[in-house]
Amino acid sequence: MTTGIAAGGDDATQRPLHVAICGGGRTGHLNAVLFKQMAGVKVSLLTRRREVIARHREGQMLTAILPDQSLLSAHLDAVSEDPADVVADADVVLITVPAHARPGLLREIAPHLRSTGPVYVGAIPGFCGFDWLAEKALQGQPNAVIWGMKDVPHTAYDLKPGVSVRMGGPKSTLYIGTHARESDAARDELRAHLGRIYTAPVELLSHYLEITLTPGNPIMHSSVVYGLVGPYGQWHDKTFDAPVCWWTDCTELGAYFLERSDEESQALCKAIEQRLELTLSSVKPLKQEIIEAYGDQIRDPASMLSVLRTNQAYDAIEAPLVPAPGGAGYTIDTQSRAFHEDVAYGLSLLVAMAGRLKVPVPHIAEIFHWNVSYMNGLRGSALDYFPERWPA
């Protein structure tokens, strides 16, 4: 099945391009500034952050602080909490909100997407089965081309909403996938659009499962939390005296569980390749993925632990902590996206897929169920849109 959308006959790289970013967080801010550096690109931002909207109306420039401390600034074309003001004439809609916020966001923007001509609706990153979610949410928009990016193009941190954000390490290559229904012409035009707004080369993956199955935050964050405060962690039933960083403070135990989870994820990939007769060669072991993505930004690539601790792109990224009850120290924030996105919408999908294919994933399952208990249960999950008949 295809959308039947053909690329335009003229050169897409020369036409005006409207990019609508949905999400006023770190990735949304950084991409907005970077896109506005490109000629002929209109950038709109959909956000509920009132301070971002107010600062835009006051003429505030958004600034990206690059790794070398140089600055890039931009004034966006529109910033609003009303989808009609942002996505109505967009060529590309880029969703950067957490996975658990995507179902509601797609319901909000769907009535305002243009109904003629292709509109490229994608998620960055595109994990957690975004293609399945978007197919269900946008079933009334046959002109929507569904896509996702394998990972964020840059790390981003130290956000001051409506003012500035810091750029971390960039990816050397950007990998994108589309829903299986999309035509070759639509895929080619999508690649051309993204090639205009990103400086890194953009490569098309052969199947969207290469994104869904790529090891990333769902196993990374959940394993690190389990290693820190799980039943075998050194901070189990204890508080942290000071803030900790996700990666530079990763424990040996966290790295161990991460490697075990990654091995099980790879076994799941092999089973899916055999069952669906796919090639998922781009889904590489996590350590290899990180090394290839960040290259010489990693000072010591010898082990999983050293890769995490010495990756300059990961420096200073703090784990989500909140003051402990009583005010003595800190505890992990169970309201963070590390749980409500990565566990509920990422890890749940791996457990469900493994169950359908009868692939043993004991470490992933153990970490998943412990995290669900630690976060006091799921409020929603990827199982809400995981196709009932998959892998048929």
mmCIF file of all heavy atoms in Angstrom, residues 117-162:
data_model
loop_
_atom_site.group_PDB
_atom_site.id
_atom_site.type_symbol
_atom_site.label_atom_id
_atom_site.label_comp_id
_atom_site.label_asym_id
_atom_site.label_seq_id
_atom_site.Cartn_x
_atom_site.Cartn_y
_atom_site.Cartn_z
ATOM 1 N N GLY A 117 -1.801 17.881 -1.209
ATOM 2 C CA GLY A 117 -0.345 17.855 -1.275
ATOM 3 C C GLY A 117 0.228 17.127 -0.074
ATOM 4 O O GLY A 117 -0.399 17.060 0.987
ATOM 5 N N PRO A 118 1.417 16.573 -0.216
ATOM 6 C CA PRO A 118 1.994 15.808 0.889
ATOM 7 C C PRO A 118 2.383 16.692 2.070
ATOM 8 O O PRO A 118 2.853 17.813 1.899
ATOM 9 C CB PRO A 118 3.238 15.176 0.259
ATOM 10 C CG PRO A 118 3.599 16.085 -0.875
ATOM 11 C CD PRO A 118 2.293 16.596 -1.404
ATOM 12 N N VAL A 119 2.170 16.186 3.270
ATOM 13 C CA VAL A 119 2.680 16.811 4.486
ATOM 14 C C VAL A 119 3.437 15.711 5.225
ATOM 15 O O VAL A 119 2.905 14.623 5.471
ATOM 16 C CB VAL A 119 1.557 17.430 5.345
ATOM 17 C CG1 VAL A 119 0.462 16.437 5.657
ATOM 18 C CG2 VAL A 119 2.133 18.008 6.629
ATOM 19 N N TYR A 120 4.694 15.979 5.534
ATOM 20 C CA TYR A 120 5.603 14.966 6.054
ATOM 21 C C TYR A 120 5.622 15.042 7.580
ATOM 22 O O TYR A 120 6.231 15.931 8.164
ATOM 23 C CB TYR A 120 7.002 15.174 5.468
ATOM 24 C CG TYR A 120 7.024 14.948 3.976
ATOM 25 C CD1 TYR A 120 6.692 15.972 3.084
ATOM 26 C CD2 TYR A 120 7.315 13.699 3.460
ATOM 27 C CE1 TYR A 120 6.672 15.756 1.718
ATOM 28 C CE2 TYR A 120 7.304 13.471 2.092
ATOM 29 C CZ TYR A 120 6.980 14.494 1.222
ATOM 30 O OH TYR A 120 6.957 14.266 -0.129
ATOM 31 N N VAL A 121 4.920 14.099 8.223
ATOM 32 C CA VAL A 121 4.745 14.113 9.670
ATOM 33 C C VAL A 121 5.693 13.089 10.287
ATOM 34 O O VAL A 121 5.539 11.879 10.083
ATOM 35 C CB VAL A 121 3.292 13.792 10.058
ATOM 36 C CG1 VAL A 121 3.112 13.847 11.571
ATOM 37 C CG2 VAL A 121 2.330 14.754 9.356
ATOM 38 N N GLY A 122 6.675 13.592 11.039
ATOM 39 C CA GLY A 122 7.686 12.700 11.579
ATOM 40 C C GLY A 122 8.016 12.985 13.029
ATOM 41 O O GLY A 122 7.669 14.035 13.578
ATOM 42 N N ALA A 123 8.684 12.035 13.656
ATOM 43 C CA ALA A 123 9.080 12.154 15.055
ATOM 44 C C ALA A 123 10.588 12.053 15.182
ATOM 45 O O ALA A 123 11.234 11.276 14.470
ATOM 46 C CB ALA A 123 8.421 11.064 15.896
ATOM 47 N N ILE A 124 11.132 12.877 16.078
ATOM 48 C CA ILE A 124 12.555 12.832 16.402
ATOM 49 C C ILE A 124 12.709 12.719 17.914
ATOM 50 O O ILE A 124 12.320 13.637 18.624
ATOM 51 C CB ILE A 124 13.294 14.086 15.907
ATOM 52 C CG1 ILE A 124 13.269 14.149 14.372
ATOM 53 C CG2 ILE A 124 14.717 14.106 16.399
ATOM 54 C CD1 ILE A 124 14.017 15.331 13.799
ATOM 55 N N PRO A 125 13.232 11.613 18.398
ATOM 56 C CA PRO A 125 13.501 10.374 17.670
ATOM 57 C C PRO A 125 12.215 9.616 17.379
ATOM 58 O O PRO A 125 11.194 9.847 18.019
ATOM 59 C CB PRO A 125 14.412 9.597 18.629
ATOM 60 C CG PRO A 125 14.009 10.080 19.984
ATOM 61 C CD PRO A 125 13.627 11.529 19.818
ATOM 62 N N GLY A 126 12.302 8.692 16.427
ATOM 63 C CA GLY A 126 11.100 8.014 15.953
ATOM 64 C C GLY A 126 10.827 6.675 16.593
ATOM 65 O O GLY A 126 10.053 5.880 16.060
ATOM 66 N N PHE A 127 11.461 6.410 17.743
ATOM 67 C CA PHE A 127 11.283 5.113 18.380
ATOM 68 C C PHE A 127 9.891 4.977 18.996
ATOM 69 O O PHE A 127 9.018 5.820 18.829
ATOM 70 C CB PHE A 127 12.374 4.840 19.407
ATOM 71 C CG PHE A 127 12.536 5.892 20.497
ATOM 72 C CD1 PHE A 127 11.591 6.867 20.719
ATOM 73 C CD2 PHE A 127 13.668 5.880 21.294
ATOM 74 C CE1 PHE A 127 11.736 7.800 21.726
ATOM 75 C CE2 PHE A 127 13.823 6.821 22.317
ATOM 76 C CZ PHE A 127 12.858 7.771 22.525
ATOM 77 N N CYS A 128 9.662 3.860 19.705
ATOM 78 C CA CYS A 128 8.391 3.561 20.373
ATOM 79 C C CYS A 128 7.255 3.304 19.389
ATOM 80 O O CYS A 128 6.081 3.541 19.699
ATOM 81 C CB CYS A 128 8.001 4.673 21.348
ATOM 82 S SG CYS A 128 9.226 4.994 22.646
ATOM 83 N N GLY A 129 7.587 2.828 18.181
ATOM 84 C CA GLY A 129 6.553 2.470 17.215
ATOM 85 C C GLY A 129 5.761 3.653 16.713
ATOM 86 O O GLY A 129 4.542 3.558 16.504
ATOM 87 N N PHE A 130 6.437 4.773 16.449
ATOM 88 C CA PHE A 130 5.725 5.966 15.994
ATOM 89 C C PHE A 130 4.961 5.730 14.701
ATOM 90 O O PHE A 130 3.896 6.328 14.484
ATOM 91 C CB PHE A 130 6.704 7.134 15.805
ATOM 92 C CG PHE A 130 6.051 8.370 15.269
ATOM 93 C CD1 PHE A 130 5.281 9.183 16.089
ATOM 94 C CD2 PHE A 130 6.181 8.724 13.924
ATOM 95 C CE1 PHE A 130 4.648 10.317 15.592
ATOM 96 C CE2 PHE A 130 5.566 9.859 13.419
ATOM 97 C CZ PHE A 130 4.794 10.660 14.261
ATOM 98 N N ASP A 131 5.469 4.888 13.824
ATOM 99 C CA ASP A 131 4.756 4.641 12.563
ATOM 100 C C ASP A 131 3.383 4.029 12.814
ATOM 101 O O ASP A 131 2.400 4.392 12.169
ATOM 102 C CB ASP A 131 5.595 3.758 11.628
ATOM 103 C CG ASP A 131 5.972 2.411 12.228
ATOM 104 O OD1 ASP A 131 6.094 2.320 13.472
ATOM 105 O OD2 ASP A 131 6.157 1.436 11.468
ATOM 106 N N TRP A 132 3.297 3.105 13.774
ATOM 107 C CA TRP A 132 2.004 2.490 14.105
ATOM 108 C C TRP A 132 1.071 3.514 14.746
ATOM 109 O O TRP A 132 -0.111 3.570 14.436
ATOM 110 C CB TRP A 132 2.216 1.311 15.053
ATOM 111 C CG TRP A 132 2.908 0.156 14.409
ATOM 112 C CD1 TRP A 132 2.761 -0.287 13.122
ATOM 113 C CD2 TRP A 132 3.853 -0.727 15.022
ATOM 114 N NE1 TRP A 132 3.558 -1.387 12.897
ATOM 115 C CE2 TRP A 132 4.237 -1.685 14.040
ATOM 116 C CE3 TRP A 132 4.413 -0.822 16.289
ATOM 117 C CZ2 TRP A 132 5.148 -2.706 14.307
ATOM 118 C CZ3 TRP A 132 5.321 -1.840 16.566
ATOM 119 C CH2 TRP A 132 5.685 -2.773 15.573
ATOM 120 N N LEU A 133 1.610 4.327 15.652
ATOM 121 C CA LEU A 133 0.801 5.357 16.296
ATOM 122 C C LEU A 133 0.256 6.352 15.281
ATOM 123 O O LEU A 133 -0.941 6.663 15.272
ATOM 124 C CB LEU A 133 1.637 6.098 17.347
ATOM 125 C CG LEU A 133 1.019 7.390 17.903
ATOM 126 C CD1 LEU A 133 -0.269 7.097 18.656
ATOM 127 C CD2 LEU A 133 2.022 8.121 18.788
ATOM 128 N N ALA A 134 1.122 6.862 14.415
ATOM 129 C CA ALA A 134 0.705 7.883 13.454
ATOM 130 C C ALA A 134 -0.277 7.329 12.433
ATOM 131 O O ALA A 134 -1.211 8.023 12.014
ATOM 132 C CB ALA A 134 1.933 8.467 12.752
ATOM 133 N N GLU A 135 -0.085 6.080 12.027
ATOM 134 C CA GLU A 135 -1.043 5.470 11.094
ATOM 135 C C GLU A 135 -2.447 5.462 11.696
ATOM 136 O O GLU A 135 -3.432 5.784 11.019
ATOM 137 C CB GLU A 135 -0.612 4.043 10.764
ATOM 138 C CG GLU A 135 -1.575 3.315 9.838
ATOM 139 C CD GLU A 135 -1.205 1.856 9.638
ATOM 140 O OE1 GLU A 135 -0.556 1.269 10.531
ATOM 141 O OE2 GLU A 135 -1.575 1.303 8.588
ATOM 142 N N LYS A 136 -2.533 5.130 12.972
ATOM 143 C CA LYS A 136 -3.831 5.080 13.646
ATOM 144 C C LYS A 136 -4.404 6.484 13.842
ATOM 145 O O LYS A 136 -5.583 6.722 13.605
ATOM 146 C CB LYS A 136 -3.675 4.380 14.992
ATOM 147 C CG LYS A 136 -4.967 4.198 15.756
ATOM 148 C CD LYS A 136 -4.740 3.388 17.034
ATOM 149 C CE LYS A 136 -6.051 3.175 17.786
ATOM 150 N NZ LYS A 136 -5.835 2.374 19.029
ATOM 151 N N ALA A 137 -3.534 7.426 14.249
ATOM 152 C CA ALA A 137 -3.997 8.779 14.562
ATOM 153 C C ALA A 137 -4.341 9.585 13.321
ATOM 154 O O ALA A 137 -5.198 10.471 13.369
ATOM 155 C CB ALA A 137 -2.934 9.512 15.379
ATOM 156 N N LEU A 138 -3.659 9.308 12.195
ATOM 157 C CA LEU A 138 -3.830 10.110 10.983
ATOM 158 C C LEU A 138 -4.554 9.336 9.879
ATOM 159 O O LEU A 138 -4.364 9.620 8.697
ATOM 160 C CB LEU A 138 -2.464 10.575 10.472
ATOM 161 C CG LEU A 138 -1.627 11.414 11.459
ATOM 162 C CD1 LEU A 138 -0.271 11.753 10.857
ATOM 163 C CD2 LEU A 138 -2.378 12.674 11.862
ATOM 164 N N GLN A 139 -5.400 8.397 10.252
ATOM 165 C CA GLN A 139 -6.069 7.582 9.230
ATOM 166 C C GLN A 139 -7.002 8.396 8.347
ATOM 167 O O GLN A 139 -7.355 7.983 7.254
ATOM 168 C CB GLN A 139 -6.814 6.433 9.888
ATOM 169 C CG GLN A 139 -7.814 6.825 10.951
ATOM 170 C CD GLN A 139 -8.386 5.609 11.657
ATOM 171 O OE1 GLN A 139 -8.593 4.565 11.030
ATOM 172 N NE2 GLN A 139 -8.636 5.709 12.945
ATOM 173 N N GLY A 140 -7.375 9.601 8.796
ATOM 174 C CA GLY A 140 -8.206 10.469 7.968
ATOM 175 C C GLY A 140 -7.399 11.402 7.082
ATOM 176 O O GLY A 140 -7.992 12.220 6.360
ATOM 177 N N GLN A 141 -6.070 11.301 7.126
ATOM 178 C CA GLN A 141 -5.188 12.149 6.316
ATOM 179 C C GLN A 141 -4.318 11.283 5.394
ATOM 180 O O GLN A 141 -3.146 11.036 5.691
ATOM 181 C CB GLN A 141 -4.277 13.003 7.212
ATOM 182 C CG GLN A 141 -4.904 14.294 7.675
ATOM 183 C CD GLN A 141 -5.731 14.095 8.949
ATOM 184 O OE1 GLN A 141 -5.619 13.094 9.616
ATOM 185 N NE2 GLN A 141 -6.554 15.080 9.275
ATOM 186 N N PRO A 142 -4.879 10.811 4.277
ATOM 187 C CA PRO A 142 -4.102 9.944 3.390
ATOM 188 C C PRO A 142 -2.918 10.641 2.746
ATOM 189 O O PRO A 142 -2.017 9.979 2.218
ATOM 190 C CB PRO A 142 -5.136 9.510 2.331
ATOM 191 C CG PRO A 142 -6.171 10.592 2.349
ATOM 192 C CD PRO A 142 -6.245 11.041 3.775
ATOM 193 N N ASN A 143 -2.896 11.994 2.776
ATOM 194 C CA ASN A 143 -1.771 12.720 2.193
ATOM 195 C C ASN A 143 -0.606 12.869 3.174
ATOM 196 O O ASN A 143 0.439 13.405 2.817
ATOM 197 C CB ASN A 143 -2.208 14.118 1.731
ATOM 198 C CG ASN A 143 -2.726 14.972 2.881
ATOM 199 O OD1 ASN A 143 -3.550 14.523 3.666
ATOM 200 N ND2 ASN A 143 -2.240 16.202 2.977
ATOM 201 N N ALA A 144 -0.785 12.406 4.411
ATOM 202 C CA ALA A 144 0.295 12.482 5.397
ATOM 203 C C ALA A 144 1.328 11.391 5.121
ATOM 204 O O ALA A 144 0.979 10.215 4.971
ATOM 205 C CB ALA A 144 -0.255 12.339 6.803
ATOM 206 N N VAL A 145 2.579 11.790 5.032
ATOM 207 C CA VAL A 145 3.689 10.855 4.865
ATOM 208 C C VAL A 145 4.327 10.679 6.238
ATOM 209 O O VAL A 145 4.835 11.625 6.836
ATOM 210 C CB VAL A 145 4.720 11.382 3.850
ATOM 211 C CG1 VAL A 145 5.893 10.416 3.730
ATOM 212 C CG2 VAL A 145 4.067 11.603 2.491
ATOM 213 N N ILE A 146 4.296 9.461 6.753
ATOM 214 C CA ILE A 146 4.735 9.176 8.122
ATOM 215 C C ILE A 146 6.193 8.754 8.124
ATOM 216 O O ILE A 146 6.588 7.854 7.377
ATOM 217 C CB ILE A 146 3.847 8.077 8.732
ATOM 218 C CG1 ILE A 146 2.389 8.556 8.808
ATOM 219 C CG2 ILE A 146 4.354 7.681 10.116
ATOM 220 C CD1 ILE A 146 1.405 7.444 9.107
ATOM 221 N N TRP A 147 6.975 9.398 8.981
ATOM 222 C CA TRP A 147 8.406 9.103 9.022
ATOM 223 C C TRP A 147 8.944 9.319 10.430
ATOM 224 O O TRP A 147 8.277 9.883 11.295
ATOM 225 C CB TRP A 147 9.186 9.988 8.032
ATOM 226 C CG TRP A 147 9.144 11.456 8.365
ATOM 227 C CD1 TRP A 147 8.143 12.339 8.088
ATOM 228 C CD2 TRP A 147 10.151 12.197 9.074
ATOM 229 N NE1 TRP A 147 8.458 13.590 8.564
ATOM 230 C CE2 TRP A 147 9.678 13.538 9.175
ATOM 231 C CE3 TRP A 147 11.388 11.874 9.612
ATOM 232 C CZ2 TRP A 147 10.426 14.532 9.800
ATOM 233 C CZ3 TRP A 147 12.132 12.868 10.233
ATOM 234 C CH2 TRP A 147 11.656 14.185 10.328
ATOM 235 N N GLY A 148 10.161 8.866 10.646
ATOM 236 C CA GLY A 148 10.835 9.096 11.915
ATOM 237 C C GLY A 148 12.331 9.092 11.720
ATOM 238 O O GLY A 148 12.840 8.569 10.725
ATOM 239 N N MET A 149 13.044 9.671 12.660
ATOM 240 C CA MET A 149 14.505 9.679 12.651
ATOM 241 C C MET A 149 14.995 8.719 13.721
ATOM 242 O O MET A 149 14.409 8.620 14.800
ATOM 243 C CB MET A 149 15.044 11.092 12.893
ATOM 244 C CG MET A 149 16.546 11.225 12.658
ATOM 245 S SD MET A 149 17.127 12.955 12.780
ATOM 246 C CE MET A 149 16.460 13.632 11.246
ATOM 247 N N LYS A 150 16.049 8.030 13.400
ATOM 248 C CA LYS A 150 16.563 6.996 14.286
ATOM 249 C C LYS A 150 16.973 7.539 15.651
ATOM 250 O O LYS A 150 16.805 6.876 16.669
ATOM 251 C CB LYS A 150 17.753 6.313 13.601
ATOM 252 C CG LYS A 150 18.269 5.075 14.290
ATOM 253 C CD LYS A 150 19.343 4.434 13.417
ATOM 254 C CE LYS A 150 19.917 3.197 14.059
ATOM 255 N NZ LYS A 150 20.933 2.551 13.192
ATOM 256 N N ASP A 151 17.495 8.735 15.670
ATOM 257 C CA ASP A 151 17.965 9.328 16.921
ATOM 258 C C ASP A 151 17.915 10.835 16.785
ATOM 259 O O ASP A 151 17.676 11.357 15.686
ATOM 260 C CB ASP A 151 19.401 8.871 17.215
ATOM 261 C CG ASP A 151 19.790 9.013 18.679
ATOM 262 O OD1 ASP A 151 19.015 9.618 19.452
ATOM 263 O OD2 ASP A 151 20.886 8.537 19.044
ATOM 264 N N VAL A 152 18.153 11.554 17.871
ATOM 265 C CA VAL A 152 18.228 13.010 17.757
ATOM 266 C C VAL A 152 19.476 13.385 16.969
ATOM 267 O O VAL A 152 20.518 12.722 17.084
ATOM 268 C CB VAL A 152 18.260 13.680 19.151
ATOM 269 C CG1 VAL A 152 16.940 13.497 19.859
ATOM 270 C CG2 VAL A 152 19.413 13.149 20.002
ATOM 271 N N PRO A 153 19.415 14.425 16.143
ATOM 272 C CA PRO A 153 20.587 14.817 15.349
ATOM 273 C C PRO A 153 21.707 15.397 16.185
ATOM 274 O O PRO A 153 22.872 15.338 15.799
ATOM 275 C CB PRO A 153 20.033 15.852 14.370
ATOM 276 C CG PRO A 153 18.786 16.352 15.001
ATOM 277 C CD PRO A 153 18.225 15.219 15.802
ATOM 278 N N HIS A 154 21.366 16.000 17.336
ATOM 279 C CA HIS A 154 22.346 16.514 18.276
ATOM 280 C C HIS A 154 21.804 16.292 19.682
ATOM 281 O O HIS A 154 20.589 16.304 19.878
ATOM 282 C CB HIS A 154 22.568 18.038 18.140
ATOM 283 C CG HIS A 154 22.744 18.541 16.749
ATOM 284 N ND1 HIS A 154 21.667 18.778 15.908
ATOM 285 C CD2 HIS A 154 23.856 18.872 16.059
ATOM 286 C CE1 HIS A 154 22.124 19.222 14.747
ATOM 287 N NE2 HIS A 154 23.439 19.286 14.809
ATOM 288 N N THR A 155 22.684 16.119 20.655
ATOM 289 C CA THR A 155 22.221 16.212 22.026
ATOM 290 C C THR A 155 22.005 17.688 22.341
ATOM 291 O O THR A 155 22.613 18.571 21.722
ATOM 292 C CB THR A 155 23.222 15.603 23.011
ATOM 293 O OG1 THR A 155 24.508 16.221 22.838
ATOM 294 C CG2 THR A 155 23.354 14.105 22.780
ATOM 295 N N ALA A 156 21.114 17.975 23.263
ATOM 296 C CA ALA A 156 20.808 19.354 23.644
ATOM 297 C C ALA A 156 20.560 19.385 25.146
ATOM 298 O O ALA A 156 19.987 18.446 25.707
ATOM 299 C CB ALA A 156 19.594 19.871 22.883
ATOM 300 N N TYR A 157 20.982 20.451 25.792
ATOM 301 C CA TYR A 157 20.829 20.523 27.246
ATOM 302 C C TYR A 157 20.857 21.981 27.695
ATOM 303 O O TYR A 157 21.026 22.895 26.885
ATOM 304 C CB TYR A 157 21.926 19.718 27.946
ATOM 305 C CG TYR A 157 23.343 20.196 27.692
ATOM 306 C CD1 TYR A 157 24.028 20.934 28.654
ATOM 307 C CD2 TYR A 157 24.008 19.907 26.502
ATOM 308 C CE1 TYR A 157 25.319 21.386 28.428
ATOM 309 C CE2 TYR A 157 25.294 20.336 26.269
ATOM 310 C CZ TYR A 157 25.947 21.082 27.243
ATOM 311 O OH TYR A 157 27.230 21.536 27.014
ATOM 312 N N ASP A 158 20.687 22.177 29.003
ATOM 313 C CA ASP A 158 20.728 23.511 29.617
ATOM 314 C C ASP A 158 19.763 24.469 28.912
ATOM 315 O O ASP A 158 20.130 25.564 28.493
ATOM 316 C CB ASP A 158 22.157 24.063 29.583
ATOM 317 C CG ASP A 158 22.313 25.300 30.483
ATOM 318 O OD1 ASP A 158 21.488 25.477 31.382
ATOM 319 O OD2 ASP A 158 23.261 26.082 30.260
ATOM 320 N N LEU A 159 18.498 24.043 28.840
ATOM 321 C CA LEU A 159 17.477 24.861 28.189
ATOM 322 C C LEU A 159 17.009 25.994 29.088
ATOM 323 O O LEU A 159 16.671 25.779 30.252
ATOM 324 C CB LEU A 159 16.272 23.988 27.817
ATOM 325 C CG LEU A 159 15.037 24.721 27.291
ATOM 326 C CD1 LEU A 159 15.338 25.393 25.960
ATOM 327 C CD2 LEU A 159 13.855 23.761 27.172
ATOM 328 N N LYS A 160 16.981 27.186 28.522
ATOM 329 C CA LYS A 160 16.329 28.337 29.137
ATOM 330 C C LYS A 160 15.176 28.694 28.191
ATOM 331 O O LYS A 160 15.399 29.325 27.149
ATOM 332 C CB LYS A 160 17.311 29.497 29.314
ATOM 333 C CG LYS A 160 18.432 29.182 30.297
ATOM 334 C CD LYS A 160 19.400 30.333 30.447
ATOM 335 C CE LYS A 160 20.420 30.065 31.550
ATOM 336 N NZ LYS A 160 21.178 28.798 31.348
ATOM 337 N N PRO A 161 13.960 28.257 28.511
ATOM 338 C CA PRO A 161 12.844 28.344 27.556
ATOM 339 C C PRO A 161 12.650 29.733 26.971
ATOM 340 O O PRO A 161 12.576 30.730 27.683
ATOM 341 C CB PRO A 161 11.637 27.929 28.407
ATOM 342 C CG PRO A 161 12.214 27.041 29.461
ATOM 343 C CD PRO A 161 13.543 27.651 29.792
ATOM 344 N N GLY A 162 12.598 29.757 25.637
ATOM 345 C CA GLY A 162 12.394 31.015 24.935
ATOM 346 C C GLY A 162 13.620 31.882 24.835
ATOM 347 O O GLY A 162 13.568 32.964 24.246
#
